[in-house]
């Protein structure tokens, strides 16, 4: 089994980097109750790829279409800024409905655009990703994005925590809450846009939610949540990967299944403790 | 006493919607003011103008330079899903003093513990906020406001959802902080009967109306009947004022039409 896994070790490194970054950001996603913003951003990212492939097939768009990640990044960041600035909360539409509209619209747009694109892969790649196809070069790109993001979160942990936990009080103490939210959502969009290229919507969404939920269930402190989330994200990647290669299972769903089992186990442990 | 906050012919609202018009009053240093009125009357709008998160539509709201507000939000606005210890939450009151990107030090922690002692719950410092009762949570949030060494303590509906005992304890604590520490206090509440026996002045905010004065000026049958537009009695029991609305015939609600 080990030798088989080693053949795909480059993909495993990539999966671990995605798991690490998404698990850290996922703590804020879960605590702030913006789980479906993560899903909507992932779908926007996939729509960006679809748009790039569609326009690229028509021979228009330049850099944005010759590198689908650029278009994906642009669309995802626009979505991140929109949600970071309040997600149209003043429009009278409930915030979760706005997220739902974005999710549905982006999902449909991604599929329609790719179906009419003359280049590109089958649309299910958006959902499942192609994590086994990751190379060391891909992982290097991912690291170049995630290391600065994680450093920003390490340095400004206190600020992100405060504006997430109690924005009104933060505002009265002079914090530019909207700017901090934009930075938080911006880092989220950045990681999602890059992770989406390889991991697909389902796996990115999994890493944004399940490890953090496991952390929330098992840990009694913020440091504990981050630690458990990171460890469970990494462990699920490792085990899911180890099971998927020899048993010929799709890697993404195998990792998600492992994350789900961990979250359920954490829930059982938490219930027994009470 | 110099004014900490001055409203000068200020019209308050959001966008094109005016909620309170031509408001002029001052909050002097050492004041203990209750901002009282029903939900939706404009208390929060006025509070946000004081705290600087909203600007008046016209006129001015001037806050003395260097003023520090110790804000105590509504208890329910603080999310208990976060696994934070009470002392960690109290230290947030010093975050702006600690500085961007820096971590709280032992001194910040010691000051947070001292603030918790001041409000009588130092023994709960390492408990999680979600394990506390409503009254204890409120004390923790007051401690967080105090640890920032504020000029003005601002409490938003501090007794909302509390029982009689917890309400009395919290209001007594706030009165002690005002009397012993000389803190200027602004307390927002919808419960006139609760607030009136603790504060020194009342700003009554009713739909389209505003009146401010000493408690004995505001808590009169004539003033309150005129403001609420129904007859009320003001009774005094053992030094405590209680407002009681007289029974009136049921009126058609606004929007119900009758035809001659």
């Amino acid at each position: 089994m080990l030798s088989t896994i080693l053949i795909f070790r480059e993909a495993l490194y990539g999966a671990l980097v995605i798991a690490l970054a998404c698990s850290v950001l996922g703590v804020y996603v879960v605590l702030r109750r913006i789980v479906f913003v993560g899903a909507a951003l992932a779908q926007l990212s996939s729509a960006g790829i679809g748009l790039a492939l569609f326009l690229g097939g028509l021979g228009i768009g330049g850099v944005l279409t010759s590198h689908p990640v650029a278009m994906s990044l642009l669309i995802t960041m626009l979505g991140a800024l929109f949600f970071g600035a309040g997600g149209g909360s003043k429009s009278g539409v409930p915030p979760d409905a706005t997220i739902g509209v974005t999710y549905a619209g982006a999902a449909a747009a991604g599929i329609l655009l790719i179906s009419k694109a003359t280049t590109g892969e089958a649309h299910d790649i958006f959902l499942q990703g192609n994590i086994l196809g990751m190379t060391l070069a891909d992982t290097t790109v991912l690291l170049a994005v995630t290391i600065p993001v994680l450093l920003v979160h390490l340095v400004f942990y206190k600020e992100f925590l405060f504006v997430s936990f109690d924005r009104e009080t933060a505002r009265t103490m002079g914090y530019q809450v909207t700017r901090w939210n934009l930075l938080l959502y911006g880092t989220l969009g950045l990681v999602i846009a890059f992770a989406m290229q390889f991991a697909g919507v389902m796996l990115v969404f999994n890493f944004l939610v399940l490890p953090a939920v496991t952390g929330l269930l098992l840990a009694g402190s913020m440091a504990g949540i981050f630690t458990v989330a990171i460890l469970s994200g990494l462990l699920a990647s490792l085990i899911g990967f180890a099971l998927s290669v020899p048993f010929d299972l799709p890697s993404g769903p195998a990792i998600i299944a492992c994350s789900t089992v961990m979250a359920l186990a954490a829930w059982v442990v938490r219930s027994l403790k009470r | 006493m110099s004014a900490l906050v001055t409203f000068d012919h200020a019209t308050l609202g959001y966008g094109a919607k005016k909620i309170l018009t031509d408001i002029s009053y001052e909050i002097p240093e050492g004041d203990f003011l209750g901002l009282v009125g029903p939900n939706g009357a404009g208390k929060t709008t006025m509070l946000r103008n004081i705290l600087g998160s909203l600007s008046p539509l016209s006129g001015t709201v001037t806050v003395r330079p260097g003023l520090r507000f110790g804000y105590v939000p509504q208890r329910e606005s603080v999310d208990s899903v976060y696994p934070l210890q009470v002392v960690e939450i109290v230290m947030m009151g010093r975050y702006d003093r600690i500085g961007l990107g820096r971590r709280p030090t032992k001194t910040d922690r010691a000051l947070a513990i001292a603030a918790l002692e001041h409000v009588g719950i130092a023994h709960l410092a390492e408990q999680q906020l979600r394990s506390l009762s409503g009254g204890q949570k409120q004390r923790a949030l007051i401690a967080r406001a105090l640890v920032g060494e504020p000029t003005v303590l601002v409490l938003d509906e501090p007794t909302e959802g509390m029982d009689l005992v917890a309400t009395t304890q919290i209001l007594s604590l706030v009165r002690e902080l005002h009397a012993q520490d000389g803190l200027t206090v602004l307390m927002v509440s919808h419960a006139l009967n609760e607030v009136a026996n603790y504060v020194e002045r009342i700003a009554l905010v009713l739909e389209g109306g505003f009146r401010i004065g000493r408690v004995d000026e505001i808590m009169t049958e004539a003033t309150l009947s005129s403001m609420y537009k129904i007859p009320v009695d003001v009774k005094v029991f053992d030094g405590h004022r209680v407002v009681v609305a007289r029974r009136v015939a049921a009126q058609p609600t606004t929007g119900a039409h009758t035809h001659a």
Side-chain angles (χ1 to χ4, degrees):
Chain A
M1 182 187 286
L2 186 63
S3 61
T4 317
I5 293 169
L6 286 176
I7 295 171
F8 294 101
R9 64 182 179 280
E10 293 186 10
L12 176 62
Y13 299 152
L16 292 174
V17 172
I18 293 171
L20 173 68
C22 290
S23 299
V24 170
L25 296 181
V27 172
Y28 291 104
V29 169
V30 169
L31 289 177
R32 292 177 69 124
R33 300 163 205 259
I34 55 167
V35 162
F36 287 100
V37 170
L41 290 179
Q43 285 294 3
L44 280 173
S45 178
S46 75
I49 297 172
L51 184 61
L53 294 174
F54 177 73
L55 293 177
L58 298 176
I60 53 176
V63 177
L64 281 177
T65 55
S66 59
H67 296 89
V69 67
M71 181 68 87
S72 168
L73 184 61
L74 177 69
I75 303 282
T76 312
M77 292 306 281
L78 286 175
L81 296 180
F82 171 70
F83 288 117
S89 54
K90 290 177 183 170
S91 67
V93 178
D96 57 341
T98 307
I99 296 165
V101 168
T102 309
Y103 179 89
I111 293 168
L112 290 173
L113 287 167
I114 195 73
S115 72
K116 290 297 174 190
T118 52
T119 57
E121 301 163 78
H123 69 258
D124 62 351
I125 206 81
F126 290 149
L127 279 176
Q128 295 187 16
N130 181 24
I131 207 154
L132 287 181
M134 283 188 77
T135 63
L136 270 185
D138 294 332
T139 305
T140 308
V141 171
L142 271 177
L143 281 172
V145 172
T146 55
I147 288 175
V149 164
L150 293 177
L151 281 175
V152 164
H153 276 267
L154 187 66
V155 171
F156 298 118
Y157 163 72
K158 172 170 115 279
E159 286 73 21
F160 284 132
L161 175 67
F162 197 15
V163 299
S164 300
F165 174 67
D166 186 357
R167 75 187 66 177
E168 272 309 305
T169 304
R171 192 174 278 127
T172 66
M173 287 171 62
Y175 278 78
Q176 300 292 327
V177 172
T178 303
R179 287 186 198 170
W180 284 107
N181 279 342
L182 287 174
L183 182 59
L184 179 64
Y185 279 73
T187 55
L188 185 62
L190 199 59
V191 166
I192 287 174
F194 277 90
M196 247 300 298
Q197 316 298 314
F198 314 106
V201 173
M202 273 199 317
L203 189 55
V204 169
F205 186 53
N206 162 74
F207 282 138
L208 284 174
V209 179
L210 286 168
V213 169
T214 306
L216 188 61
L217 286 166
L218 291 181
S221 66
M222 287 302 295
I225 288 190
F226 280 109
T227 306
V228 174
I230 290 169
L231 288 177
S232 68
L234 295 177
L235 201 60
S237 304
L238 208 56
I239 296 172
F241 215 86
L243 293 175
S244 70
V245 176
F247 293 105
D248 193 24
L249 297 168
S251 303
I255 293 171
I256 296 170
C258 290
S259 294
T260 308
V261 169
M262 285 183 192
L264 286 173
W267 177 72
V268 170
V269 170
R270 170 80 171 252
S271 302
L272 291 174
K273 273 186 183 173
R274 282 181 176 168
Chain B
M1 286 190 289
S2 60
L4 300 179
V5 180
T6 305
F7 283 75
D8 186 9
H9 299 288
T11 295
L12 314 179
Y14 300 88
K17 188 181 178 187
K18 294 176 182 176
I19 296 175
L20 293 164
T21 55
D22 200 26
I23 303 293
S24 293
Y25 74 96
E26 291 182 343
I27 301 177
E29 202 167 350
D31 200 1
F32 189 178
L33 177 66
L35 188 56
V36 183
N39 294 335
K43 300 190 303 290
T44 303
T45 310
M46 187 170 281
L47 181 61
R48 291 188 65 189
N49 275 268
I50 293 171
L51 296 173
S53 59
L54 196 65
S55 298
L57 301 179
S58 65
T60 58
V61 178
T62 311
V63 173
R64 195 169 80 181
L67 197 68
R68 281 183 68 86
F69 291 106
Y71 178 63
V72 183
Q74 292 190 25
R75 203 170 63 256
E76 296 310 318
S77 74
V78 176
D79 195 341
S80 55
V81 76
Y82 288 72
L84 290 165
Q85 289 182 344
V86 170
V87 67
E88 291 175 309
I89 291 166
V90 174
M91 277 193 288
M92 287 177 177
R94 294 191 58 77
Y95 275 8
D96 60 334
R97 291 183 182 274
I98 292 168
L100 212 60
R102 295 174 183 273
R103 295 281 190 268
T105 62
K106 284 181 181 171
T107 307
D108 296 310
R109 191 179 176 87
L111 288 167
I113 300 282
L116 285 167
E117 270 172 19
H118 203 49
V119 299
I121 56 166
H123 61 289
L124 299 174
E126 293 183 2
Q127 297 284 312
Q128 297 220 340
L129 189 73
R130 58 183 164 210
S131 69
L132 270 49
S133 69
Q136 290 168 336
K137 275 185 192 167
Q138 199 64 54
R139 283 173 188 263
L141 295 176
I142 291 172
R144 182 178 68 173
L146 294 176
V147 81
E149 300 165 43
T151 325
V152 183
L153 182 65
V154 179
L155 304 105
D156 192 0
E157 299 282 3
T159 58
E160 176 77 8
M162 283 186 189
D163 65 15
L164 186 66
V165 176
T167 296
T168 307
Q169 287 174 342
I170 289 297
L171 291 175
S172 299
L173 170 67
V174 174
R175 189 162 64 176
E176 271 178 36
L177 292 171
H178 168 70
Q180 292 175 10
D181 301 353
L183 262 179
T184 304
V185 177
L186 172 61
M187 187 156 61
V188 177
S189 175
H190 68 279
L192 181 60
N193 277 329
E194 284 177 8
V195 170
N197 292 299
Y198 290 88
V199 300
E200 292 166 359
R201 292 202 307 154
I202 292 176
L204 200 55
V205 185
L206 297 176
E207 203 171 335
F210 178 77
R211 184 84 181 260
I212 186 167
R214 293 193 319 272
V215 171
D216 57 358
E217 291 169 343
I218 298 293
M219 293 291 281
T220 65
E221 290 172 356
T223 302
L224 294 178
S225 295
S226 147
M227 290 290 287
Y228 282 104
K229 297 186 176 63
I230 58 166
V232 302
D233 294 321
V234 178
K235 305 290 184 190
V236 179
F237 298 105
D238 196 20
H240 291 262
R241 291 182 179 85
V242 179
V243 180
V244 183
R246 283 181 213 152
R247 286 182 183 152
V248 292
Q251 299 288 320
T253 54
T254 307
H257 300 285
T258 53
H259 298 279

